[in-house]
Amino acid sequence: MQNGCLISSSAAALLLGLTAAAAEPPAPVDPPRRYEQILEIDLEGDTAALDLSIAPVYDAREWAFSARWDDCNLNSLTMREHMARVGLKGTFYLTQNDKADRFGPAFCRQLMQDGCSIGGHSMTHPRLTELSAGQIWWELCANRINREDDTDTTLNSLAFPYGLFRDDARPEAFPIITEAVRRAGYHHCVYATFVRDNPHLAPGECSTSWQVVPGDRVVDAEAFAAQLAKPVERWPESYRKLSHGLHLGVHPWQQGEEWAKLDAVFQTIAGRPEWWYCSLTEWAAYARQAATARLQIDTASSTATRRRVVITRAHPGDLGDAVPLTCLARGTAVRAARLDGQPIDLRRQGDATILNLPHRPSLSPPRRVGHIEIPAEADTADARRDGADFPGLRATILTEAGRLTLTLEAPATADLSDIHVRFRLPLAFQPGVVTCTATALPAGQAIALTADLPAPHPDPAWTAGPRYWVAEINATLAQEPIRLFVTRLQP
Ligand SMILES: [Zn+2]
């Protein structure tokens, strides 16, 4: 079986965009899969008065509050414990494991207790602005893939090593690094300055949050309180124009008596009912679904006291978490609501009724993630390999004659279904993400999915360095949502 791939409509828009005015923002390079749900709302009064909107924070809280702690550091385990005591959650940004295997899957599992998560921080912690396009791409994308494999979770948030993403002496670094972030599958960055006024990002493509720093080595409660007061008390509306998220950071370097000082700071920010305490993975997932969801009132099928709303929303596997979408109903009182026929709990808050809408139960982020690395010298589709995570599920990825081919073979004992493939291409190629779908692959059978490679970028800055080829396969295997990466690094 041979299936060709289409460039997604937004990628086609990107190609068209190249001929448009320079001020035109780019289209998103890696839009999420979408699906529809039907929301029915029974109203006390006039349906025409209903004003329905999407809340910027889950459960209509005032702020999302999280934490960001960087690097492979055993002190992160202590940090997580101190946060958990007061109900704080956060995300640990990790590079690759070390040679002594101290920071592998077991370390991740310890960090992920009590709702914390893992984020990307590059493979080797380089100064990204000094690297070739090929190296930048591998540093960011391979890190995400390896850590998803380690944790069996999705990574959607990124922290740049040293916070470096631009260099005035090397102006091409900023667009190249931005492009690597977009096509690697990250859609949240802890650096607000990366997201704000970045002309290389599409509107709403990448979310962020505001950082507040208690002190990496020496905790300074007074300075922290003054920093936090800026977004929370002094200028909330101007901060919220960019993000409704706040996070602690940056390094878990505290020792001795500094822990007690940090505990005292944590006491001042814990237990606020108006804040959503979340990991940055959850915040990123919520921010992306709020930016991409569409509510369409179906006037034809609505009655005098009942509104029918079609909700188009992103697949939780492409958001990174299945956090519900919060809608606000204003203008007229809500008596009851059903999502795909299931009753929804209602809560009044001020002049609004809050509806938290869960994803369709059959859709979720992958519960297991695997990775098959194909050696650079492999040259035929027969070189299919097994991954440790899914025995019998074999694959290879090859480039030849201007085409990229993924060969996928289902295990002898289980069908593979709902197959969705993203080819994440090296930065030399535009568009950067090419998608393919296949409905089902019966047990023991193989399929070849191909994508024609666009012409390489004319600017050598974009083609320099190694080529890292990536196929990200989302599918259902024996009723379980899985993700398999098939990669190949050509020096
Ligand atoms: Zn770091």
Side-chain angles (χ1 to χ4, degrees), residues 26-45:
V29 74
D30 185 18
R33 289 168 281 166
R34 289 166 203 267
Y35 71 99
E36 285 184 359
Q37 288 179 307
I38 301 297
L39 175 65
E40 288 173 301
I41 307 178
D42 296 337
L43 301 162
E44 301 282 2

Side-chain angles (χ1 to χ4, degrees), residues 15-30:
L15 290 176
L16 294 172
L18 294 176
T19 57
E24 201 80 355
V29 74
D30 185 18

Side-chain angles (χ1 to χ4, degrees), residues 202-254:
E205 187 174 27
C206 189
S207 64
T208 187
S209 30
W210 296 103
Q211 183 161 286
V212 282
V213 180
D216 283 353
R217 277 186 217 284
V218 179
V219 174
D220 185 338
E222 221 168 285
F224 175 80
Q227 259 188 68
L228 186 65
K230 289 181 187 176
V232 173
E233 287 159 31
R234 299 178 70 184
W235 304 291
E237 290 322 308
S238 76
Y239 277 84
R240 284 186 180 127
K241 278 183 191 140
L242 183 66
S243 176
H244 283 67
L246 302 167
H247 67 254
L248 299 165
V250 181
H251 294 104
W253 293 341
Q254 297 76 11

Side-chain angles (χ1 to χ4, degrees), residues 164-238:
L164 282 176
F165 52 85
R166 64 191 302 171
D167 176 2
D168 290 342
R170 219 188 140 219
E172 70 274 23
F174 185 38
I176 286 175
I177 290 170
T178 304
E179 184 61 23
V181 174
R182 308 168 79 203
R183 70 173 69 176
Y186 291 115
H187 50 84
H188 174 270
C189 176
V190 298
Y191 293 100
T193 49
F194 173 77
V195 175
R196 188 176 55 195
D197 303 327
N198 185 337
H200 313 295
L201 286 171
E205 187 174 27
C206 189
S207 64
T208 187
S209 30
W210 296 103
Q211 183 161 286
V212 282
V213 180
D216 283 353
R217 277 186 217 284
V218 179
V219 174
D220 185 338
E222 221 168 285
F224 175 80
Q227 259 188 68
L228 186 65
K230 289 181 187 176
V232 173
E233 287 159 31
R234 299 178 70 184
W235 304 291
E237 290 322 308
S238 76

